[in-house]
Amino acid sequence: MELRGDKVVLRTMTDGDSEVLGRIVREPEVAAWWPPLDDYEDMLAVVFGGEVIGAVQYDEETDPEFRRAGIDIFLTASHHGKGLGADTVRTLARWLVQERGHHRLTIDPAAANTAAIRSYSKVGFKPVGIMRAYWRNHRTGAWQDGLLMDLLAEELT
């Protein structure tokens, strides 16, 4: 699979991607929000300028009454603040809406991750509410709040 955004390409993982992504999730700016992972198979590599700079994944609820898809992403710190996260999320969101038929998407950053929240807002995601003690910080063991955000298909920019 390969999806082309304005700046990034999202593609199926290949040999060697796991090693690169393992280094990225150990960067302090990324490790603050992402634990080390054993497996990157269910993710798509985020490629910019021919270099793997992160990964994105999605999950789907297929029950017709609650159909929706969710997105998670991480990028290397050296590419933060360049609009590549928003381009990645927008590219995957368009595919989930146009090809997979979802009318609603969710994303759930840590409530304290203001940079991620700002990026997702640029794509059109809106805050739904705070999920208290939602995720466990893998470094401290403390429970952290998350912000549930959603996007309806017609709101996708």
Side-chain angles (χ1 to χ4, degrees), residues 49-101:
E51 172 190 3
V52 173
I53 63 163
V56 64
Q57 65 184 6
Y58 64 94
D59 66 275
E60 296 178 282
E61 171 59 62
T62 57
D63 181 326
E65 287 189 54
F66 300 99
R67 188 162 167 73
R68 61 123 198 109
I71 298 173
D72 283 310
I73 176 179
F74 66 86
L75 298 179
T76 183
S78 65
H79 287 293
H80 289 180
K82 298 179 180 180
L84 302 176
D87 189 41
T88 298
V89 170
R90 184 179 300 109
T91 300
L92 184 56
R94 284 184 178 146
W95 180 78
L96 289 166
V97 167
Q98 295 169 0
E99 301 299 321
R100 302 293 293 167

Side-chain angles (χ1 to χ4, degrees), residues 8-151:
V8 299
V9 173
L10 313 181
R11 64 157 171 76
T12 305
M13 293 290 173
T14 61
D15 292 341
D17 289 344
S18 291
E19 184 179 328
V20 172
L21 296 173
R23 284 194 304 269
I24 292 171
V25 296
R26 288 190 301 275
E27 294 174 1
E29 301 89 341
V30 179
W33 314 112
W34 276 83
L37 301 173
D38 294 328
D39 183 10
Y40 298 92
E41 268 185 43
D42 294 333
M43 301 180 122
L44 298 172
V46 179
V47 180
F48 176 68
E51 172 190 3
V52 173
I53 63 163
V56 64
Q57 65 184 6
Y58 64 94
D59 66 275
E60 296 178 282
E61 171 59 62
T62 57
D63 181 326
E65 287 189 54
F66 300 99
R67 188 162 167 73
R68 61 123 198 109
I71 298 173
D72 283 310
I73 176 179
F74 66 86
L75 298 179
T76 183
S78 65
H79 287 293
H80 289 180
K82 298 179 180 180
L84 302 176
D87 189 41
T88 298
V89 170
R90 184 179 300 109
T91 300
L92 184 56
R94 284 184 178 146
W95 180 78
L96 289 166
V97 167
Q98 295 169 0
E99 301 299 321
R100 302 293 293 167
H102 290 285
H103 76 285
R104 180 173 169 270
L105 307 176
T106 60
I107 202 160
D108 54 2
N113 193 343
T114 55
I117 294 166
R118 196 169 38 253
S119 178
Y120 307 151
S121 295
K122 289 178 185 176
V123 178
F125 281 86
K126 294 178 176 33
V128 173
I130 295 292
M131 298 179 291
R132 299 175 301 142
Y134 177 65
W135 65 280
R136 188 180 300 273
N137 184 310
H138 67 279
R139 295 172 306 155
T140 67
W143 287 100
Q144 306 289 309
D145 292 346
L147 175 64
L148 178 62
M149 302 178 79
D150 74 358
L151 171 73

